[in-house]
């Protein structure tokens, strides 16, 4: 099966080409959606086969490279179209194809009747292909094809409703911000490639070869520069401070897209990339610290914004930014396994939450449409009490919310608690650890709060739409609810593969599985010995208990504010209008970026053109030309405008010149 | 010569012969078009056959290393002028690009050109002969001759079939290039005299002249003259201002040929003549070339962002893209130079396609103002899909052609001038900025003016599909092209 790894990205590529070329003619939604879903499902089956085969191998042999064909070979630069299968990429392909299949299936129902149905599925398949290239790439350049490819597909899908200006703007913003990050990725790539090559004659961008040569890399220095550049790339793709503002806007795309691209897969690419190159990152303690701080800061910053949004998808978008911050916090404290674990559980519960919100929006849209109401179907202030009309959506949404809030027994708890514990106990950052843990814990409290605020506003209380609309509210069809149920199941039980050792009920399969991938990095980490690297079990138990208490506090506040005494939030905003406005307006970061970067760039472009090109350069050239023309009658005639004059003088000129030099 | 057939001579003069065949059917546009296209296709077939057979050719006897095809005849012996044409991997690539882009240019003028059809096609074929000659000549006077032959048809194309301020643009184009080529002519004579006085044998043959020892000061001046002539053609900042005008006012075929081929002759000239003739002078000019290249990359892209006319936008984007080519040449490493040559091909395909697309839109709506369009996705989806593809190729999306070229250039130049490369990376961000802006305003949103637009015809679709296949092929599998370049680039940079 391993030999056939190239089939995994090929299937969705075929689907994309098929629907892209023929979809418009076919028109039959079942065929278009069916083929797209079938293709990604075939990839899922191949991925399952590969996973099974890997499990069958001894742990140290679970690395397989497949060169499909040579790509760019020039001098000592060599990049093949090569795939790398190891425990890490195996998890990623399972998540991408598994969650991807469910979301493809869901989309058949959700996109029903859309004008660009074929276009949507072609893009979605193309996205799957790019994402699979990204996670399977055996060298940085193949990863980069995927890296940019997912950016393109994200652009196309955010701009799916292209006639809406806001959608086009959001798509543009996402693409450009991603590109700013890619700038970092490429510089990092070059720095590493050039340093290893010129100092040790190891000219490679291949992951396994870099891993083998990683002992040659120094601690800090050039590695810090390279990893910081890579991290810039990660902040763009994974929406971290300062490049996060595109993700909330990306909610302009269809909701399944938000679930697949902007929650479960693409935005986790930065986390995956750090995991893939853990053996490089771990050698740059300063970078690790930057990653941890940016991760923690993003986690809490986005969580605060999430508390004041009224659009259901925007809350989830900020939640995603915040959860990605947790993953980066994990990477920054060297807890690579915990980061990847949270990536996986987050893919389950956040995909379920987005798809659930899609189901809600779908129902709301339907109901409002029938009642000829122009209320916003995504605004939670129009919802309420939906649990009765939509029981399956409600249950799955609720368990996923519990999972993200970090209540024991649900998947999110295991991964988030592991991250917080590692933030506290890691050997890298010394005195900073307590702040990292504290920030993470407060962010977790905010998470529990805004997520339950969302659940209470949407599913509990009184329905706030008109009675006429209310009659049209109903549960979504099976094609939508089946993916919800599968993801809801995973949101609950997906965490049991990675139970903390402390609880001791099940072995931590997840950690064992990834051990060979991160062994090299863990080896280098041995050199960092800060005080506090060894902690007692009692402390670990204590912190675990504390994080549960924190989550419960967040839920309790949400309950008080939105169920028990719903007048408080209004009074709060009335008392602190400035604070509420700032949070509601996302701390005015977009406006700041416009002022600092976008407007000056636009102005400079116009200035260079009209001011420099036309005025200065052409002014000089035209000036010279005028002087020459003034002196020369022949040139004056040239300006007569009669074409045959030009032809004649040109021909004569050429003949004279040639004749002169030949026969002089 | 292969089996006694002067293949290179045929390659150079076949289009000219085709042009002569147009004369009998001067008044029959349908015949003219088919005949001209036929000549272009035969030329392309010959170039393609050479490419397929290339590995089977042996080093030509008497030719400099790397030249597998070589034809050398005495011409004007009194002055040491010979008819010398030769082909190595670099020339081969340029020849196939020339044949390919010419066919595209012939095909895109099908509907747009209604007046003086015969002259239009005749000029394109004459220009093809000139460009072939430029890419194959190894005698400096012969090269100069072809260099001039190539200019005249372009001047007339802009002047006769152009739009807007076409006379201004044509004269500007002419003055700029004429100024450069006259300086080059002086430099050619300079090298000739130095070599002659030193060795006693007066010759214009490039292989003999490359070994001339020239006093550093004089070499600097002579190289500067060559560089100026070629830099105007590339064009290098700040010698680029003829380009936006010429492109904007040229007919579609003119723009395609200008971007696809004429700009390449400048870069080719630096690679084939400038550096080999004056290696030391070139090395001392390298920092200047690097700076101008990087400024061009950033400047061109930034100004492109401010454009409101599509054609002018694509023209400025060319300034940026050709800056990458210049950067790779300045670094003069095997990797960067391969990247530059590959990028010359890539740029020809991508920008040629973009000009063709803009031309199609112009033919339909009779405007090139970006603000006049909108919502094309909904109206002409096939056109939009092609437009998106080539825009993304131009913005350097990996897996498409421009990325491969630009990446290799940067990889090869990073060792020589890391700072320049880091700055050039801005040139990777900016094209995306203006590209997505263009795509959004053209394809997205809703239409701003009610324009009756038909989607692309079968002929147009065929042209674009061929270009698209080339863009994808060069992006996914540039290996054969890079293989062709290995030997000549190794010989040029002295690292075989």
């Amino acid at each position: 099966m391993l030999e056939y790894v190239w089939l995994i990205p090929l299937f969705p590529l075929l689907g994309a080409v098929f629907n892209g070329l023929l979809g418009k003619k076919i028109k039959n939604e079942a065929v278009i959606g069916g083929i797209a879903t079938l293709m990604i499902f075939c990839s899922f089956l191949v991925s399952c086969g590969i996973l099974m085969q890997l499990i069958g191998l001894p742990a140290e042999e679970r690395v397989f490279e497949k060169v499909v064909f040579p790509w760019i070979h020039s001098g000592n630069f060599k990049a093949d179209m090569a795939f790398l299968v190891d425990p890490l990429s195996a998890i990623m392909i399972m998540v991408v194809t598994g969650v991807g299949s469910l979301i493809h299936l869901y989309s058949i129902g959700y996109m029903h009747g859309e004008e660009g149905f074929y276009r949507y599925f072609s893009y979605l398949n193309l996205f799957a292909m790019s994402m699979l290239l990204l996670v399977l790439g055996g060298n940085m350049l193949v990863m980069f094809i995927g890296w940019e490819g997912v950016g393109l597909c994200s652009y196309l899908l955010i701009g799916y409703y292209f006639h809406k200006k806001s959608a086009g703007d959001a798509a543009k913003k996402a693409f450009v911000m991603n590109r700013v990050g890619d700038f970092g990725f490429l510089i990092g790539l070059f720095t590493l490639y050039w340093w290893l090559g010129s100092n040790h004659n190891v000219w490679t961008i291949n992951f396994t070869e870099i891993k083998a040569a990683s002992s040659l890399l120094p601690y800090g220095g050039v590695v810090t520069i390279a990893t910081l550049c890579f991290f810039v790339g990660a902040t763009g793709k994974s929406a971290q401070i300062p490049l996060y503002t595109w993700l909330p806007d990306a909610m302009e795309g269809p909701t399944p897209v938000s679930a697949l691209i902007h929650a479960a897969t693409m935005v986790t690419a930065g986390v995956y990339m750090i995991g893939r190159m853990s053996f490089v990152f771990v050698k740059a303690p300063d970078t690790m610290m930057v990653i941890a701080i940016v991760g923690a800061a993003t986690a809490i910053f986005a969580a605060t914004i999430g508390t004041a949004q009224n659009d259901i998808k925007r809350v989830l978008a900020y939640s995603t930014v915040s959860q990605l911050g947790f993953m980066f916090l994990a990477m920054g404290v060297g807890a690579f396994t915990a980061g990847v674990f949270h990536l996986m559980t987050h893919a389950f519960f956040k995909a379920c939450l987005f798809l659930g919100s899609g189901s809600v929006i779908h129902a709301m849209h339907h109901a409002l449409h029938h009642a000829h109401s122009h209320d916003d179907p995504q605004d939670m202030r129009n919802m309420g009490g939906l649990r009765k009309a939509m029981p399956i959506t409600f249950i799955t949404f609720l368990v996923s919310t519990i999972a993200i809030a970090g209540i024991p027994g649900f998947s999110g708890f295991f991964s988030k608690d592991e991250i917080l514990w590692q933030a506290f106990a890691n050997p890298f950052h010394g005195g900073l650890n307590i702040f990292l843990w504290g920030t993470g814990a407060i962010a977790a409290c905010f998470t529990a709060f805004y997520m339950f605020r969302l659940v209470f506003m949407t599913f509990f209380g009184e329905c706030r739409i008109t009675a006429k609309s209310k009659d049209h509210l109903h549960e979504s069809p099976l094609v939508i609810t089946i993916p919800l149920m599968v993801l809801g199941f995973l949101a609950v039980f997906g965490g049991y593969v990675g139970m903390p050792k402390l609880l001791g009920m099940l072995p931590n399969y997840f950690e064992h599985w990834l051990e060979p991938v991160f062994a090299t990095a863990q080896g280098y980490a041995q050199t960092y010995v800060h005080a506090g690297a060894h902690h007692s079990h009692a402390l670990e138990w204590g912190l675990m208990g504390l994080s549960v208490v924190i989550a419960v506090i967040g839920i309790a506040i949400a309950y008080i504010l939105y169920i028990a005494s719903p007048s408080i939030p209004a009074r709060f905003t009335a008392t602190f209008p400035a604070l509420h406005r700032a949070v509601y307006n996302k701390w005015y970061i977009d406006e700041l970026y416009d002022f600092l970067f976008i407007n000056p760039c636009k102005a400079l472009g116009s200035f260079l053109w009209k001011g420099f090109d036309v005025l200065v350069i052409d002014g000089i050239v035209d000036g010279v030309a005028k002087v020459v023309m003034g002196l020369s009658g022949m040139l004056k005639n040239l300006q007569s405008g009669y074409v045959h004059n030009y032809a004649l003088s040109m021909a004569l000129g050429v003949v004279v010149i040639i004749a002169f030099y030949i026969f002089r | 010569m292969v089996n006694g057939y002067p293949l290179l001579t045929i390659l150079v003069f076949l289009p000219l012969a085709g042009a002569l065949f147009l004369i009998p059917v001067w008044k029959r546009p349908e015949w003219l078009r088919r005949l001209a296209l036929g000549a272009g296709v035969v030329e392309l077939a010959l170039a393609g056959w050479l490419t397929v057979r290339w590995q089977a050719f042996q080093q030509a006897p008497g030719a400099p290393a790397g030249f597998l095809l070589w034809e050398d005849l005495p011409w004007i012996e009194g002055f040491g002028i010979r008819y010398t044409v030769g082909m190595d991997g670099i020339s081969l690539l340029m020849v196939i690009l020339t044949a390919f882009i010419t066919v595209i240019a012939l095909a895109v003028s099908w509907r747009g050109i209604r007046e003086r059809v015969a002259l239009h096609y005749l000029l394109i074929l004459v220009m093809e002969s000139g460009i072939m000659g430029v890419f194959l000549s190894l005698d400096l006077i012969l090269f100069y001759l072809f260099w001039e032959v190539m200019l005249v048809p372009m001047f007339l194309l802009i002047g006769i079939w152009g739009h807007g301020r076409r006379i201004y643009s044509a004269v500007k184009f002419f003055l700029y290039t004429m100024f450069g080529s006259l300086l080059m002519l002086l430099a050619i004579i300079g090298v000739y005299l130095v070599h002659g006085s030193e060795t006693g044998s007066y010759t214009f043959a490039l292989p003999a002249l490359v070994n001339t020892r020239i006093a550093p000061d004089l070499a600097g001046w002579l190289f500067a003259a060559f560089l100026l002539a070629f830099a105007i053609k590339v064009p290098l900042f700040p010698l680029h201002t003829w380009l936006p005008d010429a492109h904007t006012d040229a007919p579609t075929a003119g723009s395609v040929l200008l971007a696809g081929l004429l700009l390449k002759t400048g870069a080719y000239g630096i690679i084939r003549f400038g550096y080999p003739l004056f290696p030391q002078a070139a090395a001392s000019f390298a920092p200047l070339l690097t700076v101008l290249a990087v400024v061009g990359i950033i400047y061109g892209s930034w100004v492109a962002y401010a454009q409101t006319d599509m054609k002018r936008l694509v023209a400025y984007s060319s300034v940026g893209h050709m800056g990458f080519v210049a950067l790779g040449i300045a670094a003069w490493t095997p990797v960067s130079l391969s990247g530059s040559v590959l990028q010359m091909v890539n740029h020809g395909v991508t920008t040629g396609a973009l000009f063709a697309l803009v031309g199609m839109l112009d033919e339909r709506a009779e405007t090139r103002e970006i603000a006049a369009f909108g919502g094309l996705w909904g109206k002409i989806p096939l056109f939009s899909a092609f437009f998106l593809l080539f825009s993304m190729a131009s913005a350097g999306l990996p897996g498409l052609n421009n990325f491969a070229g630009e990446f290799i250039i940067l990889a090869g130049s990073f060792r020589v001038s890391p700072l320049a490369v880091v700055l050039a990376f801005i040139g990777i961000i900016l094209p995306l900025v203006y590209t997505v802006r263009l795509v959004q305003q053209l394809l997205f949103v809703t239409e701003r003016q009610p324009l009756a637009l038909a989607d692309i015809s079968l002929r147009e679709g065929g042209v674009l599909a061929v270009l698209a296949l080339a863009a994808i092929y060069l992006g996914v599998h540039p290996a054969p092209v890079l293989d062709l370049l290995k030997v000549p680039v190794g010989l040029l940079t002295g690292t075989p």
Side-chain angles (χ1 to χ4, degrees):
Chain A
M1 210 68 210
L2 282 170
E3 275 294 324
Y4 297 103
V5 55
W6 49 273
L7 283 174
I8 297 178
L10 185 67
F11 279 124
L13 177 64
L14 293 177
V17 171
F18 176 83
N19 277 334
L21 293 180
L22 304 174
K24 200 175 162 62
K25 295 243 160 53
I26 294 174
K27 286 200 181 77
N28 185 333
E29 288 189 2
V31 174
I32 294 170
I35 283 185
T37 311
L38 182 70
M39 285 298 142
I40 181 85
F41 190 69
C42 286
S43 297
F44 176 68
L45 291 180
V46 177
S47 305
C48 288
I50 282 178
L51 183 72
M52 288 302 152
Q53 197 178 347
L54 276 192
I55 290 173
L57 291 169
E60 62 281 359
E61 285 173 28
R62 287 174 189 157
V63 179
F64 175 80
E65 268 191 279
K66 168 85 187 165
V67 176
V68 186
F69 59 84
W71 182 26
I72 298 178
H73 285 200
S74 183
N76 48 25
F77 184 84
K78 194 168 159 235
D80 291 320
M81 193 60 78
F83 297 135
L84 170 65
V85 181
D86 70 348
L88 180 60
S89 52
I91 289 177
M92 293 303 290
I93 53 176
M94 289 302 290
V95 170
V96 173
T97 57
V99 176
S101 299
L102 292 170
I103 293 174
H104 274 72
L105 180 67
Y106 176 100
S107 299
I108 297 177
Y110 190 86
M111 300 304 287
H112 169 67
E114 290 281 350
E115 197 187 348
F117 196 80
Y118 77 96
R119 203 157 48 87
Y120 173 85
F121 276 98
S122 180
Y123 295 165
L124 209 60
N125 264 189
L126 193 66
F127 168 79
M129 191 241 5
S130 309
M131 190 68 207
L132 289 164
L133 276 185
L134 194 162
V135 297
L136 282 171
N139 57 55
M140 294 188 222
L141 217 53
V142 176
M143 182 191 241
F144 192 69
I145 308 182
W147 190 266
E148 285 265 292
V150 292
L152 170 70
C153 298
S154 154
Y155 168 76
L156 293 171
L157 283 163
I158 298 170
Y160 174 74
Y161 300 111
F162 61 84
H163 44 265
K164 268 171 73 185
K165 187 171 182 310
S166 56
D169 287 342
K172 191 165 72 172
K173 185 171 172 182
F175 208 179
V176 171
M177 277 205 160
N178 269 295
R179 208 17 116 80
V180 173
D182 298 347
F183 167 75
F185 187 106
L186 282 178
I187 295 179
L189 186 160
F190 276 137
T191 311
L192 208 57
Y193 165 75
W194 166 76
W195 195 90
L196 269 178
S198 55
N199 288 310
H200 299 283
N201 209 23
V202 183
W203 298 100
T204 182
I205 54 164
N206 182 299
F207 289 123
T208 39
E209 284 169 27
I210 295 175
K211 189 173 183 176
S214 60
S215 59
L216 301 170
L217 292 169
Y219 286 84
V222 68
V223 177
T224 305
I225 296 171
T227 47
L228 277 177
C229 291
F230 278 119
F231 180 60
V232 170
T235 55
K237 191 95 339 187
S238 296
Q240 295 296 291
I241 292 173
L243 298 177
Y244 71 95
T245 59
W246 65 269
L247 184 58
D249 288 9
M251 298 300 125
E252 290 284 347
T255 307
V257 170
S258 311
L260 179 61
I261 301 185
H262 306 117
T265 55
M266 180 185 98
V267 288
T268 61
V271 181
Y272 169 77
M273 186 256 283
I274 294 177
R276 176 51 76 216
M277 293 200 279
S278 55
F279 42 85
V280 182
F281 277 86
V282 89
K283 285 202 148 187
D286 294 337
T287 309
M288 296 287 277
M289 192 162 82
V290 171
I291 296 174
I293 292 173
V294 168
T298 309
I300 192 156
F301 186 75
T304 60
I305 301 175
T307 58
Q309 302 302 314
N310 292 320
D311 183 313
I312 185 168
K313 283 183 74 183
R314 277 194 178 255
V315 178
L316 291 176
Y318 281 105
S319 163
T320 304
V321 176
S322 170
Q323 295 299 308
L324 289 165
F326 275 102
M327 295 176 213
F328 278 97
L329 173 61
M331 295 329 233
V333 298
F336 301 113
T337 310
V340 176
F341 189 32
H342 196 57
L343 186 163
M344 185 180 83
T345 57
H346 177 257
F348 298 149
F349 59 69
K350 189 52 72 59
C352 185
L353 288 170
F354 263 118
L355 295 184
S357 78
S359 174
V360 167
I361 294 165
H362 200 244
M364 287 289 290
H365 183 80
H366 209 69
L368 292 172
H369 185 73
H370 271 283
H372 305 291
S373 164
H374 291 289
D375 287 341
D376 183 357
Q378 302 195 17
D379 195 325
M380 296 191 293
R381 286 169 298 190
N382 297 331
M383 300 174 186
L386 296 180
R387 69 179 186 282
K388 290 169 209 133
M390 312 181 72
I392 301 175
T393 305
F394 168 63
I395 301 278
T396 53
F397 203 95
L398 185 66
V399 296
S400 301
T401 305
I402 298 173
I404 193 177
I407 297 298
F410 293 77
S411 63
F413 169 74
F414 299 120
S415 50
K416 193 185 284 182
D417 190 65
E418 184 67 15
I419 291 173
L420 287 177
W421 167 245
Q422 296 275 359
F424 185 84
N426 74 81
F428 294 92
H429 305 311
L432 194 64
N433 282 354
I434 184 78
F435 293 103
L436 293 174
W437 177 85
T439 315
I442 297 170
C445 179
F446 272 107
T447 308
F449 168 72
Y450 67 69
M451 282 310 300
F452 271 90
R453 170 178 176 267
L454 192 162
V455 169
F456 292 145
M457 284 178 82
T458 309
F459 293 102
F460 287 82
E462 281 306 304
C463 193
R464 286 180 287 272
I465 52 173
T466 57
K468 196 174 164 210
S469 312
K470 215 165 131 185
D471 296 340
H472 291 284
L473 273 178
H474 54 76
E475 183 57 280
S476 301
L478 271 181
V479 67
I480 284 181
T481 49
I482 287 174
L484 285 180
M485 288 185 276
V486 175
L487 286 168
F489 175 83
L490 288 169
V492 181
F493 297 104
Y496 286 88
V497 295
M499 288 264 274
K501 282 196 215 77
L502 193 65
L503 296 173
M505 287 180 270
L506 280 172
N508 192 334
Y509 298 113
F510 201 80
E511 198 177 321
H512 279 299
W513 176 248
L514 286 176
E515 219 159 26
V517 179
F518 299 127
T520 317
Q522 298 302 348
Y524 297 136
Q526 299 299 322
T527 44
Y528 305 99
V529 272
H530 281 289
H534 297 284
H535 297 283
S536 67
H537 283 322
L539 185 63
E540 200 176 342
W541 276 111
L543 287 179
M544 191 184 280
L546 197 54
S547 75
V548 175
V549 171
I550 284 168
V552 172
I553 291 174
I555 298 170
I557 298 174
Y559 180 79
I560 294 166
L561 295 185
Y562 292 93
I563 300 280
S565 39
S567 59
I568 298 180
R571 262 189 287 148
F572 181 81
T573 49
T575 325
F576 304 102
L579 179 65
H580 178 261
R581 227 178 12 250
V583 177
Y584 180 74
N585 287 307
K586 307 161 277 179
W587 301 108
Y588 296 103
I589 299 294
D590 278 319
E591 288 75 7
L592 183 73
Y593 284 2
D594 278 351
F595 175 74
L596 282 182
F597 306 110
I598 297 170
N599 296 339
C601 284
K602 281 184 184 166
L604 185 61
S606 300
F607 168 75
L608 286 179
W609 174 33
K610 299 227 166 92
F612 194 74
D613 235 52
V614 175
L615 228 61
V616 178
I617 302 182
D618 273 358
I620 293 170
V621 174
D622 289 351
V624 171
K626 276 199 187 105
V627 171
V628 174
M629 276 179 213
L631 294 174
S632 157
M634 203 189 95
L635 280 177
K636 225 181 247 165
N637 289 337
L638 261 179
Q639 280 287 46
S640 64
Y642 292 109
V643 172
H644 52 259
N645 280 2
Y646 299 120
L648 187 67
S649 48
M650 282 298 308
L652 276 178
V654 173
V655 170
V656 168
I657 291 166
I658 295 166
F660 178 76
Y661 287 107
I662 293 175
F663 302 110
R664 68 178 172 166
Chain B
M1 297 256 201
V2 175
N3 305 332
Y5 291 107
L7 285 176
L8 299 183
T9 305
I10 296 174
L11 211 49
V12 173
F13 291 103
L14 193 139
L16 200 60
L20 294 180
F21 274 105
L22 297 182
I23 294 171
V25 287
W26 197 256
K27 299 271 179 221
R28 310 276 292 273
E30 324 80 64
W31 281 76
L32 280 167
R33 292 190 181 106
R34 292 195 172 85
L35 211 64
L37 189 64
V41 169
V42 171
E43 176 86 347
L44 179 61
L46 179 59
W49 182 79
L50 279 178
T51 316
V52 174
R53 289 269 303 161
W54 186 250
Q55 303 297 347
F57 293 136
Q58 302 295 320
Q59 167 77 30
F67 287 85
L68 304 194
L69 295 179
W70 169 264
E71 285 152 31
D72 182 31
L73 296 168
W75 185 18
I76 303 162
E77 293 190 69
F79 293 100
I81 301 173
R82 298 180 71 83
Y83 171 82
T84 312
V85 284
M87 185 189 259
D88 66 351
I90 299 176
S91 313
L92 174 66
L93 268 184
M94 291 300 118
V95 161
I96 191 105
L97 177 72
T98 305
F100 179 65
I101 294 292
T102 306
V103 170
I104 301 290
L106 290 167
V108 294
S109 354
W110 215 260
R111 239 163 45 111
I113 302 299
R114 304 211 166 275
E115 291 166 28
R116 305 180 200 231
V117 182
L119 188 61
H120 183 86
Y121 283 99
L122 184 127
L123 287 174
I124 292 181
L125 288 175
V126 171
M127 182 157 32
E128 184 177 18
S129 274
I131 298 171
M132 287 287 178
V134 164
F135 287 139
L136 291 170
S137 304
L138 291 176
D139 181 282
L140 264 60
I141 288 296
L142 189 68
F143 172 76
Y144 180 77
L145 192 71
F146 282 123
W147 183 267
E148 293 297 333
V149 166
M150 166 183 92
L151 295 183
V152 184
M154 179 52 75
F155 170 73
L156 293 173
L157 277 180
I158 301 172
I160 300 176
W161 293 275
H163 326 268
R165 297 197 299 169
R166 58 173 194 254
I167 303 299
Y168 171 82
S169 297
V171 172
K172 195 169 175 181
F173 164 78
F174 179 74
L175 289 182
Y176 257 104
T177 34
M178 209 54 190
F179 173 69
S181 43
L182 284 175
L183 280 179
M184 179 171 78
L185 184 61
L186 289 178
I188 288 175
I189 295 166
V191 184
Y192 169 79
L193 293 176
V194 171
H195 182 84
S197 66
E198 196 176 283
T199 62
S201 83
Y202 283 86
T203 174
F204 284 104
L206 179 70
L209 292 177
V210 287
N211 298 317
T212 314
R213 271 180 320 209
I214 309 173
D217 282 358
L218 183 61
W221 283 107
L222 293 176
F223 179 71
F226 269 96
L227 186 63
L228 197 64
F230 296 136
I232 287 173
K233 257 296 168 12
V234 169
L236 219 55
F237 177 90
L239 304 169
H240 64 277
T241 60
W242 63 270
L243 181 92
D245 283 326
H247 266 310
T248 312
D249 296 337
T252 304
S255 298
V256 170
L257 290 168
L258 196 55
L261 302 178
L262 256 58
L263 306 190
K264 308 311 175 297
T265 59
Y268 177 85
I270 304 179
I271 295 173
R272 175 71 74 218
F273 298 96
Y275 267 68
L277 281 174
F278 316 98
Q280 281 86 18
S284 62
F285 271 83
L288 177 71
L289 194 57
T290 308
V291 170
L292 293 181
V294 172
V295 172
I297 291 170
I298 298 172
Y299 183 89
S301 310
W302 218 306
V303 175
Y305 180 74
Q307 299 308 310
T308 56
D309 179 310
M310 280 185 264
K311 243 182 165 179
R312 205 171 269 274
L313 188 152
V314 181
Y316 273 109
S317 83
S318 280
V319 177
H321 290 308
M322 291 306 286
F324 276 100
V325 174
L327 180 66
I329 295 173
W332 204 253
T333 67
V335 179
S336 74
L337 197 56
S338 313
S340 286
V341 179
L342 177 63
Q343 184 61 6
M344 283 154 73
V345 178
N346 288 336
H347 178 261
V349 171
T350 319
T351 310
L354 281 174
F355 275 123
L357 282 162
V358 173
M360 289 169 193
L361 219 47
D362 190 14
E363 269 176 31
R364 286 162 169 75
E366 294 186 343
T367 174
R368 298 182 311 269
E369 279 299 309
I370 298 169
F373 297 94
L376 297 186
W377 251 140
K379 285 160 86 181
I380 42 175
L382 210 52
F383 173 90
S384 304
F386 277 116
F387 195 88
L388 185 73
L389 176 80
F390 291 112
S391 300
M392 287 303 129
S394 165
L397 201 79
L400 295 171
N401 55 349
N402 277 35
F403 174 76
E406 284 170 12
F407 187 85
I408 298 172
I409 291 170
L410 295 174
S413 312
F414 195 71
R415 284 174 75 186
V416 183
S417 37
L419 183 65
V421 169
V422 170
L423 289 173
F425 269 114
I426 296 175
I428 292 217
I429 300 179
L430 287 174
L432 190 82
V433 178
Y434 64 71
T435 303
V436 290
R437 171 177 160 268
L438 179 66
V439 166
Q440 189 193 8
Q441 297 199 337
L442 281 187
L443 308 188
F444 289 8
V445 214
T446 45
E447 65 174 358
R448 268 160 277 197
Q449 287 175 19
L451 295 168
L453 300 173
D455 212 337
I456 48 180
S457 67
L458 199 63
R459 172 185 58 85
E460 293 168 326
V463 170
L464 293 173
V466 170
L467 285 163
L469 285 179
I472 295 170
Y473 178 76
L474 287 168
V476 176
H477 198 49
V481 177
L482 292 170
D483 280 346
L484 277 182
L485 294 176
K486 206 172 276 169
V487 174
V489 163
L491 288 167
L492 280 171
T493 54
T495 48

